[in-house]
Amino acid sequence: MVVGSVALDSVFTPFGETADALGGSAVHFSVAGSLLSKVKVVGVIGSDYPVKELERLASRGIDWSGVERVDGESFRWKGKYSYDLQSRETLETRLGVFATFRPKLPESWRDTPYLFLGNIDPELQLSVLEQVRRPKLVVCDTMNYWIQGKRPELMKLLERVDVLLVNDGEARELSGNWNIHKAGRWILERGPKLVVIKQGEYGALLMDPSRTFYVPAYPLEEVFDPTGAGDAFAGGFMGYLARVDSVAPEQMRRAMVYGSAMGSFAVEGFDIRGFDGVDFDAVQRRVKAFVDLTHVPAAEPLP
Ligand code: AMP
């Protein structure tokens, strides 16, 4: 189950642009996660949302029945990427119906074992967490907008999640440490047992207090739109863990590879189109490519 933004995105990259396209953390997460597990979504949309487009995605195994429809404007986000796609500027964030949203989980959803608190107001993330009974794993994401605007609420939430999954810029901003390893340690001292730090085309780290594991990014020759890569990573990470129904350390490492694979699909197209034509077999092939990319044959004794 995921709670997060269900948005209309307008994105500008050096390679093209979109206007009011399907987006939001919950949408990107679900499109990726549903390739591995069924996904339930908690969120809200306004009267202007293209509901038919969401309904089309339901056939992939996404249950939108926890997304309320209310009068008003949907969440809108506008962003612009630099030429190398490494940095982005938020041009506009309009919360719309999310500003007054108070999530209420259907009774049968309260026993959900795998919960992803996608990027949205930490107060909403906390409210969903409080309605779930003893989940097996709670993973949380956030973003500069909330780190700056709702820090006390975010810090309270951190005490109660198992894994924080953020990008390097967010880890630096949250902790005040430029060094990514120090930033990770700072986060681990504030509640989460694990932290995942994504570094775009440089891969992603999984840290616990004693060890760090690293997965590279898939070497792509064409990248169109990085929007949603982080949420797709989370979808792969959680979708895998829910599918194998385990949070064992070795499964966490495999989940990192599924996360990286999903992130690599996400950036190959605008909005959610990077996933067009991607099925379970395509995911497995990309995961295998990661194994080939990183496998080191057992060493012979040196002469
Ligand atoms: P990512 O590229 O993984 O960081 O996620 C981008 C998605 O986050 C876009 O589809 C946006 O609609 C959504 N988004 C941007 N800003 C916010 C925010 N302040 N709260 C929730 N979602 C947001």
Side-chain angles (χ1 to χ4, degrees):
M1 181 165 77
V2 53
V3 58
S5 50
V6 182
L8 293 171
D9 284 350
S10 299
V11 171
F12 304 87
T13 85
F15 311 110
E17 57 186 73
T18 58
D20 280 349
L22 232 57
S25 51
V27 171
H28 290 292
F29 175 92
S30 305
V31 169
S34 60
L35 284 158
L36 298 167
S37 267
K38 294 210 178 308
V39 184
K40 301 188 191 86
V41 186
V42 178
V44 64
I45 52 175
S47 32
D48 52 357
Y49 209 84
V51 176
K52 282 216 160 53
E53 290 189 43
L54 282 188
E55 280 166 359
R56 254 203 302 278
L57 296 173
S59 61
R60 299 178 181 223
I62 306 174
D63 183 347
W64 300 109
S65 63
V67 175
E68 275 180 44
R69 286 187 218 179
V70 301
D71 280 342
E73 198 192 37
S74 296
F75 183 103
R76 275 185 169 74
W77 178 76
K78 205 179 267 187
K80 186 170 183 227
Y81 287 85
S82 60
Y83 184 72
D84 59 5
L85 298 175
Q86 282 297 308
S87 59
R88 82 175 171 208
E89 185 192 351
T90 290
L91 303 176
E92 192 178 17
T93 303
R94 269 156 53 196
L95 297 182
V97 291
F98 266 98
T100 50
F101 179 48
R102 297 289 166 267
K104 192 161 182 329
L105 298 196
E107 181 56 34
S108 61
W109 288 23
R110 287 167 170 253
D111 290 312
T112 305
Y114 292 89
L115 174 61
F116 182 63
L117 303 171
N119 174 31
I120 195 63
D121 187 335
E123 287 189 64
L124 298 184
Q125 294 175 310
L126 200 57
S127 142
V128 168
L129 177 58
E130 276 167 353
Q131 295 177 54
V132 176
R133 285 186 280 259
R134 284 182 287 119
K136 281 190 189 162
L137 184 73
V138 180
V139 180
C140 167
D141 185 10
T142 193
M143 178 174 176
N144 53 359
Y145 187 88
W146 305 112
I147 296 172
Q148 289 154 17
K150 294 259 175 131
R151 178 177 274 270
E153 293 81 354
L154 185 58
M155 295 311 295
K156 213 167 108 192
L157 177 68
L158 277 192
E159 289 171 17
R160 301 189 41 191
V161 305
D162 300 306
V163 184
L164 180 72
L165 189 145
V166 282
N167 68 32
D168 43 7
E170 291 153 357
R172 288 186 176 114
E173 187 165 359
L174 181 62
S175 67
N177 280 302
W178 188 88
N179 180 282
I180 215 66
H181 304 283
K182 281 190 182 162
R185 185 159 306 286
W186 186 96
I187 292 166
L188 289 171
E189 285 163 4
R190 290 188 170 62
K193 298 189 229 6
L194 294 168
V195 58
V196 176
I197 302 180
K198 299 158 290 164
Q199 297 186 285
E201 67 172 310
Y202 303 112
L205 301 170
L206 170 71
M207 293 176 66
D208 70 20
S210 60
R211 291 195 308 175
T212 299
F213 173 69
Y214 171 75
V215 178
Y218 186 73
L220 290 170
E221 294 197 3
E222 287 198 301
V223 173
F224 288 102
D225 175 13
T227 309
D231 308 306
F233 184 105
F237 185 83
M238 289 296 273
Y240 175 79
L241 293 172
R243 189 174 180 118
V244 297
D245 191 14
S246 167
V247 294
E250 66 274 17
Q251 297 292 18
M252 291 284 176
R253 290 186 172 212
R254 292 192 187 109
M256 289 287 289
V257 178
Y258 277 84
S260 298
M262 295 298 185
S264 73
F265 288 124
V267 304
E268 286 185 291
F270 280 89
D271 47 73
I272 56 169
R273 282 173 277 170
F275 284 94
D276 284 355
V278 176
D279 58 11
F280 181 74
D281 290 342
V283 175
Q284 294 297 83
R285 280 196 298 278
R286 192 150 293 186
V287 165
K288 182 166 180 308
F290 270 90
V291 176
D292 293 341
L293 190 63
T294 53
H295 179 69
V296 181
E300 300 283 329
L302 286 180

